[in-house]
Amino acid sequence: MSDGAGRTGVSDPTARLVQRMLVERGVVRLASIALVVLVIFSLASGNFFSIINFQSMGFQVAEIGLLSLAIALTMLTGGIDLSIVSIANIAAIVTAQLFMSAGSGTASGSSSVVMTVGFIAVGVAAGTACGALNGLLITRLRITPILATLGTLQLLNGVAIVWTGGRAIYGMPESFLNIGTGFVAGVPAPVVVLLLAAVGTAVFVNRTGMGLRIKLVGANPTAARYSGLNNDRVLMRTYLMSAFLSSLAGILIAARSASANADYGASYVLLAIVIVVLGGVNPMGGSGTVTGVVLSAFVLQMVASGFNMVGFNSFLYQIAQGVILIGVLGLSTITQRYDLRSALRMRSGRDVDGAPSEQLPAALGPPVPPREREHEQ
Amino acid sequence: MTTASDAGQRPWLSRLRGSNNEGILALTILVLCVGVGVVEPSFWSVRTMLNVASNSMTNVIFAMGVLIVIISGGIDVSFMAIGIFCGYSVIVLTNETGFGASSAPVGFVLAAVIGVALGVLNAAAIAGLHLPTLIVTLGTQGIIRGAMLAYVGSKVIPDYPEGLDKLSTNYLVTATGTSSTRLSVLIVPAVLICVLVSLLLRYTMVGRGIYAVGGDAESARRAGFPVVGIQFFIYLFAGLLAGVAGLIHVTRVRLANPYELVGGELDVIAAVVLGGASIFGGKGSVSGTVLGVVLISLIRNSLILLGVPGSWQRAAVGLLLIVGVGAQALSARSRRTSADLVAEGAPA
């Protein structure tokens, strides 16, 4: 899953190898963090290392994993999608509403399966259409992704509240609920959905032209435009894809909880951003791996279950999320700056360590949030 | 016949419009008032005015903090967490220790100090580590709220210390009617803070520095502004304002509920952005922000008055934000086009 290789078109094989290792290093580091977390909680709580616990973690990790992938895609372009949870709930509500109005709770057999597939398709399509709204606001009106998706977060959530009257919708048939609660060869069905979606996203990001364009637009929108890319089309597809993944998460949520609700999972936005950043996606855009995101979703799920089993309350988990988010990002910024400085020293043969930071060249100075880059003329 | 050339011929029109479209916002508010007043005549009353003022009181102080952050090119989603942390902690602290229980000002100083201390978290991560502001404040929001619920307390407290208790029933104006509507005396500090922030932004070196950093941090640095120092000031000051606003909120509602406020960030950010502040930094005004807060409060109020179910409020604010920001983005684009024409020597 190394997506570093072809990106900058490096011809020198050693440089390519180094780049590949840098990407792998992030994944390797995450895998070791996962192992450490696993060992710590297994030692701290006897029940942690058990099939039942892994299965219960699997049921929870799938929806947040899908939402993280959705945010990761938009972050690759240097944007963000804050409306993921609202979109997920819209998809869930549409599907649940269809089941309710069809009165399908009693239907059985093949007709029930066909109905389930059809209704899910409609729900996912509705959620994806919400992504088109994000895309239009961002590409046509040129609203920054943060504000556009903050607005649609509120708007779609409001529509969902009005629609449901603030109540939960029940009445889905067994064939639908199985998606959220069933097993495939001992593996929770939601995990299978997550892994399929992750492989699909990885192929999309690493092996298709659009995936490469997404990263190019994120790395430098101006350069991408001058290279002949249609930035707007790339952004539009990204937000559609993000909404599609969010909608899948919404379907899983509805199937697992046997209900659809306008206010489900409001705390997921922070958690998803934590996962994506921990997974090594650069919030400024341009780089990140699907493997990293999925791994870090599992790490945080282990931390959550572990905290729960050790007897910490959920508030401590909330603190941990914040600390992890800022800690990981801070650490990577510091090490990155260190790398850059040593690289510069090697090239120019001069010692720049002694120079005060204000004297550093612009490239090494305080990175001015390049958000303004996104929409410059 | 673009707006820019119109304004060029008639300077009073551009003055009326304001540098951040404050005029358009004021006009929107006026039209809204007239419209709702025609449909529902009971809208035109002292009661409505007091209601809107009461509902805007805390949000306008939060908005001042957010305004400063947005002018500097950042975004803050941690201010509500800081606010409720300060408000709730002050009640808990004075109840348990009895320190300054009889004096409300002591409580506010305490809230401000805690707010500044929490602001250090944001400042250190943003100015010290140069991390993106949205992500940092998302993180500190979780940390601050979690810390309050885990260590300060998670129960709703109805008992207030004597000083704040007295303050909470101190009303400036009371309008009697079928049910009396009252305006808390706490509107006075809210207005004072707005004036203070306005003066700070307009007449002090730090204030101009905030605009400079938001316009272009690198240029500001080369022009001699201490960028890191200004960023520290911004997040400490935003923390202070959030702390004071939090205690005002807690005092006004007379029930210290630690689960309140967080989640209402969008209303405030929407108000500031509607008020003409640019998310890219370097642009924004106190008067625009106040109008933005009033507009949102007014819309909520009139929806209730017009008999629209409360469930529509969320969607309405979201739509308002999208429309407002979209209109600004479009007008920015058309202004740029007309500026290009002028540059090319086309007749203005």
Side-chain angles (χ1 to χ4, degrees):
Chain A
M1 302 267 164
S2 70
D3 16 55
R7 173 153 44 98
T8 41
V10 188
S11 52
D12 182 4
T14 43
R16 197 185 292 172
L17 191 71
V18 168
Q19 216 168 28
R20 203 185 172 87
M21 270 171 61
L22 279 174
V23 175
E24 301 293 349
R25 195 174 66 180
V27 174
V28 168
R29 195 171 52 187
L30 254 177
S32 25
I33 293 177
L35 206 67
V36 170
V37 170
L38 184 69
V39 169
I40 289 179
F41 285 118
S42 300
L43 291 177
S45 166
N47 296 329
F48 189 82
F49 200 83
S50 62
I51 292 183
I52 295 215
N53 184 43
F54 284 124
Q55 285 178 338
S56 94
M57 283 196 287
F59 283 116
Q60 290 160 36
V61 79
E63 44 205 65
I64 188 66
L66 283 171
L67 291 173
S68 307
L69 285 177
I71 286 203
L73 274 179
T74 56
M75 267 197 193
L76 279 180
T77 66
I80 197 164
D81 189 349
L82 298 173
S83 64
I84 43 168
V85 173
S86 298
I87 291 179
N89 286 332
I90 290 274
I93 288 169
V94 168
T95 306
Q97 188 77 55
L98 284 171
F99 277 123
M100 203 169 83
S101 45
S104 59
T106 53
S108 61
S110 61
S111 70
S112 159
V113 172
V114 170
M115 205 186 244
T116 303
V117 172
F119 288 173
I120 290 176
V122 175
V124 170
T128 311
C130 299
L133 177 64
N134 281 335
L136 284 176
L137 291 175
I138 291 164
T139 59
R140 297 274 166 246
L141 292 183
R142 305 236 166 266
I143 306 179
T144 30
I146 295 184
L147 283 183
T149 55
L150 210 58
T152 50
L153 153 81
Q154 187 92 337
L155 179 66
L156 295 175
N157 180 233
V159 168
I161 292 175
V162 172
W163 188 344
T164 61
R167 287 179 298 274
I169 304 176
Y170 301 95
M172 280 85 88
E174 200 63 31
S175 55
F176 178 74
L177 301 183
N178 274 339
I179 300 170
T181 53
F183 292 92
V184 178
V187 178
V191 175
V192 176
V193 175
L194 171 65
L195 292 181
L196 285 178
V199 169
T201 313
V203 169
F204 174 71
V205 171
N206 297 325
R207 295 275 177 266
T208 66
M210 187 48 80
L212 181 63
R213 275 175 227 138
I214 284 177
K215 281 190 277 190
L216 287 176
V217 168
N220 189 337
T222 313
R225 193 168 17 249
Y226 285 149
S227 311
L229 295 192
N230 186 341
N231 287 17
D232 284 353
R233 187 185 294 166
V234 173
L235 287 177
M236 187 69 183
R237 296 242 174 117
T238 309
Y239 284 89
L240 281 177
M241 183 86 183
S242 158
F244 173 76
L245 289 169
S246 309
S247 306
L248 286 186
I251 299 295
L252 287 187
I253 291 171
R256 187 168 72 92
S257 61
S259 67
N261 184 336
D263 284 322
Y264 194 92
S267 62
Y268 274 179
V269 179
L270 170 62
L271 182 56
I273 294 177
V274 174
I275 287 173
V276 170
V277 171
L278 178 67
V281 178
N282 182 356
M284 309 294 185
S287 66
T289 62
V290 171
T291 325
V293 173
V294 173
L295 259 179
S296 94
F298 278 98
V299 168
L300 273 154
Q301 186 56 52
M302 282 199 284
V303 174
S305 308
F307 267 38
N308 198 4
M309 286 191 165
V310 177
F312 292 161
N313 60 27
S314 62
F315 309 134
L316 287 175
Y317 180 52
Q318 214 175 1
I319 301 177
Q321 285 177 20
V323 171
I324 292 173
L325 179 62
I326 297 177
V328 167
L329 210 56
L331 215 63
S332 75
T333 315
I334 291 169
T335 51
Q336 204 177 10
R337 212 179 304 162
Y338 175 76
D339 282 354
L340 274 171
R341 273 189 208 182
S342 53
L344 191 84
R345 187 165 51 223
M346 267 167 31
R347 198 176 305 158
S348 65
R350 254 185 318 129
D351 184 43
V352 292
D353 259 10
S357 61
E358 283 83 10
Q359 299 290 309
L360 283 172
L364 304 186
V368 176
R371 253 189 285 121
E372 45 262 66
R373 260 189 355 202
E374 268 162 39
H375 295 292
E376 63 190 9
Q377 190 47 340
Chain B
M1 288 304 276
T2 61
T3 355
S5 61
D6 276 357
Q9 284 155 8
R10 280 174 279 176
W12 57 268
L13 197 69
S14 103
R15 269 191 73 116
L16 213 61
R17 181 175 170 176
S19 52
N20 298 305
N21 293 337
E22 290 94 342
I24 293 180
L25 206 54
L27 196 70
T28 312
I29 292 177
L30 204 68
V31 169
L32 187 76
C33 288
V34 171
V36 177
V38 166
V39 179
E40 184 61 58
S42 70
F43 176 84
W44 288 104
S45 66
V46 181
R47 263 190 73 186
T48 310
M49 235 180 71
L50 294 186
N51 264 333
V52 170
S54 290
N55 293 336
S56 322
M57 194 185 300
T58 37
N59 272 2
V60 87
I61 306 178
F62 279 124
M64 287 302 123
V66 174
L67 172 70
I68 293 176
V69 171
I70 287 187
I71 289 177
S72 78
I75 191 159
D76 187 353
V77 291
S78 68
F79 58 93
M80 285 294 192
I82 294 182
I84 195 63
F85 186 105
C86 296
Y88 186 72
S89 303
V90 166
I91 300 287
V92 170
L93 213 68
T94 39
N95 270 345
E96 278 181 9
T97 64
F99 172 72
S102 56
S103 155
V106 173
F108 277 94
V109 171
L110 218 56
V113 170
I114 301 174
V116 170
L118 294 175
V120 171
L121 281 180
N122 284 335
I126 291 166
L129 293 175
H130 310 298
L131 301 182
T133 52
L134 173 71
I135 289 178
V136 167
T137 51
L138 261 175
T140 51
Q141 182 199 339
I143 296 174
I144 291 168
R145 181 156 188 269
M148 171 185 63
L149 292 169
Y151 300 118
V152 182
S154 53
K155 282 198 278 288
V156 177
I157 301 177
D159 307 317
Y160 275 30
E162 193 195 335
L164 289 173
D165 192 44
K166 254 188 213 152
L167 185 65
S168 68
T169 49
N170 193 343
Y171 297 108
L172 197 65
V173 188
T174 304
T176 45
T178 44
S179 65
S180 66
T181 309
R182 296 177 286 202
L183 182 62
S184 166
V185 73
L186 289 166
I187 188 83
V188 175
V191 171
L192 279 180
I193 284 174
C194 291
V195 172
L196 202 79
V197 171
S198 173
L199 293 178
L200 175 97
L201 284 177
R202 200 172 298 181
Y203 295 115
T204 67
M205 197 54 107
V206 175
R208 303 320 294 174
I210 294 171
Y211 280 99
V213 169
D216 187 342
E218 182 58 25
S219 312
R221 192 178 65 74
R222 293 191 184 178
F225 283 108
V227 173
V228 170
I230 288 173
Q231 279 181 325
F232 255 89
F233 171 82
I234 290 165
Y235 290 97
L236 298 193
F237 191 60
L240 184 150
L241 290 176
V244 172
L247 188 57
I248 286 186
H249 169 81
V250 167
T251 308
R252 208 172 62 81
V253 300
R254 294 172 59 75
L255 200 66
N257 180 354
Y259 295 97
E260 268 189 337
L261 288 184
V262 173
E265 291 87 2
L266 184 70
D267 265 13
V268 176
I269 295 174
V272 174
V273 172
L274 281 176
S278 160
I279 197 83
F280 297 114
K283 214 167 152 294
S285 72
V286 170
S287 52
T289 302
V290 173
L291 289 174
V293 172
V294 169
L295 178 62
I296 286 188
S297 169
L298 206 60
I299 284 190
R300 285 181 176 274
N301 200 6
S302 25
L303 282 182
I304 298 171
L305 211 63
L306 294 176
V308 178
S311 50
W312 278 98
Q313 289 196 0
R314 214 156 216 268
V317 173
L319 195 66
L320 187 70
L321 177 67
I322 292 174
V323 169
V325 176
Q328 276 172 23
L330 283 180
S331 86
R333 206 159 18 147
S334 72
R335 215 174 305 152
R336 214 179 295 145
T337 322
S338 57
D340 290 347
L341 285 177
V342 174
E344 285 163 20

